[in-house]
Amino acid sequence: MTITGLGYLGVQTPDPSVWTSFGPEVLGLTVSGVGDDGSVYLRLDERSHRLSIHPGTESRLAYAGWEVACESDLDAMILRLDQAGVSWRPGTATECAERKVERFVRFEDPAGLPQEIFYGAAVSYAPISPGRPMSKGFVTGSQGLGHLVFMVPDARAANEFYANVLGFQLSDIVDTVIQTPGYFYHCNSRHHSLGVIEAPHHAGLHHLMLELDELNDVGTAYDIVRKREHPMSMTLGRHSTDEMVSFYFVTPAGFEIEYGWGGRQVNDETWHVVRAEQGELWGHELVGTGLPPTVRLVSTPVAAQ
Ligand SMILES: [Fe+2]
């Protein structure tokens, strides 16, 4: 009766149409459809789509979709929301059809970030046709879509919500390069499906991590990102905790992609939480200009004394 993984991600941005080329040609995704409103739906495995890019006046997180196994598990999660006093609403029939799931509920985390819990995703049997050479595919299956990292104004409130209400298991705590601790959680064998990093007065989606089954596919994307001059935010490197070899760059929808290989898996029977004094084994030099546009100011910063 717990969340089993990250199922899907929806973002909004002024020009989704660029994703019909960016998704396949840079990320190696497959366009599974374009909606009447211009929304672009992208596929990377057997699911009909896992990434939805919707039109909107600004770039921001539209929803994060967390998966449970079945309807009774969804009802059990609703009970937990009710017991914690979290308001939620059911997804409409139109919204369920758009996400291609049987049923979901929608609510906000303590930072106001829109979250959804669903069951019953549609599976496609159409062939996958990435728009660039791919030697292998993405690591998904029981590990879900990948991981999300949110910037939140209050990491303690986020921890209370994600660990104690939604039931995520803490993997470890990391002293990050931006001097505030990050909390990383698992809900399947992937080292983390969710990370929260405190950024005073800010809230939003920092990045989506996509894991490749072959290191060369990360290298191919690295060359393409450099050649096309997409803004890189972290150079190639390896994280200390999940051991992912990855690099980060900013997408046309304002959030970052961590594109990686070699992520560690956890076993709850033997796992111990640790606090890592550094997040990187090597590389991952910050080269960007700061927080991605999807991380928005949520209150006026207190003036420096
Ligand atoms: Fe990450």
Side-chain angles (χ1 to χ4, degrees):
M1 61 164 261
T2 57
I3 288 168
T4 60
L6 175 65
Y8 57 76
L9 173 68
V11 297
Q12 72 168 51
T13 189
D15 185 12
S17 68
V18 297
W19 281 77
T20 58
S21 56
F22 176 80
E25 294 168 15
V26 180
L27 299 179
L29 305 178
T30 299
V31 176
S32 60
V34 177
D36 292 340
D37 66 350
S39 294
V40 176
Y41 302 102
L42 295 154
R43 217 182 130 194
L44 68 163
D45 61 7
E46 77 284 357
R47 297 288 172 87
S48 290
H49 63 260
R50 285 191 185 266
L51 190 54
S52 302
I53 314 295
H54 300 292
T57 53
E58 59 175 356
S59 290
R60 66 175 180 81
L61 173 69
Y63 45 81
W66 302 103
E67 183 163 11
V68 292
C70 57
E71 185 155 38
S72 60
D73 283 6
L74 178 55
D75 288 331
M77 291 303 299
I78 290 170
L79 190 59
R80 291 171 75 143
L81 293 173
D82 284 339
Q83 288 169 343
V86 177
S87 342
W88 57 272
R89 70 161 178 85
T92 66
T94 302
E95 290 172 329
C96 286
E98 183 173 60
R99 290 156 179 72
K100 294 209 172 188
V101 299
E102 288 299 305
R103 182 182 158 209
F104 76 89
V105 295
R106 181 178 172 90
F107 51 93
E108 292 183 351
D109 77 359
L113 300 176
Q115 311 293 321
E116 296 176 356
I117 300 178
F118 74 96
Y119 87 96
V123 170
S124 171
Y125 298 95
I128 289 185
S129 52
R132 68 164 173 83
M134 294 277 281
S135 52
K136 286 190 179 174
F138 294 87
V139 178
T140 57
S142 63
Q143 297 186 62
L145 166 59
H147 72 232
L148 296 180
V149 170
F150 299 131
M151 290 293 193
V152 297
D154 184 344
R156 184 183 272 181
N159 180 64
E160 170 69 21
F161 181 75
Y162 285 107
N164 297 338
V165 178
L166 296 191
F168 283 88
Q169 298 291 312
L170 187 64
S171 302
D172 42 43
I173 303 165
V174 179
D175 292 332
T176 68
V177 290
I178 55 173
Q179 307 303 318
T180 51
Y183 297 83
F184 296 85
Y185 305 88
H186 61 274
C187 54
N188 54 49
S189 65
R190 189 185 293 285
H191 173 274
H192 60 278
S193 293
L194 169 70
V196 294
I197 296 177
E198 187 165 297
H201 312 294
H202 291 79
L205 171 63
H206 184 275
H207 72 263
L208 163 68
M209 189 285 300
L210 296 174
E211 183 175 359
L212 284 296
D213 205 19
E214 167 60 60
L215 179 59
N216 287 341
D217 288 335
V218 177
T220 301
Y222 191 80
D223 285 348
I224 292 171
V225 165
R226 284 169 57 88
K227 199 170 291 178
R228 293 192 175 204
E229 299 183 342
H230 291 293
M232 203 170 290
S233 49
M234 284 178 104
T235 61
L236 197 65
R238 186 162 214 172
H239 286 304
S240 58
T241 53
D242 73 352
E243 301 176 356
M244 191 77 72
V245 176
S246 61
F247 71 103
Y248 292 66
F249 59 104
V250 182
T251 72
F255 66 98
E256 293 181 12
I257 290 281
E258 178 185 5
Y259 207 77
W261 167 86
R264 185 181 187 185
Q265 295 190 48
V266 302
N267 177 352
D268 272 325
E269 299 294 314
T270 55
W271 189 257
H272 291 250
V273 173
V274 298
R275 180 168 190 134
E277 293 182 340
Q278 63 185 55
E280 324 303 333
L281 292 176
W282 53 267
H284 280 162
E285 180 189 353
L286 278 173
V287 290
T289 55
L291 295 173
T294 43
V295 176
R296 297 181 302 154
L297 199 66
V298 292
S299 61
T300 306
V302 177
Q305 297 297 307

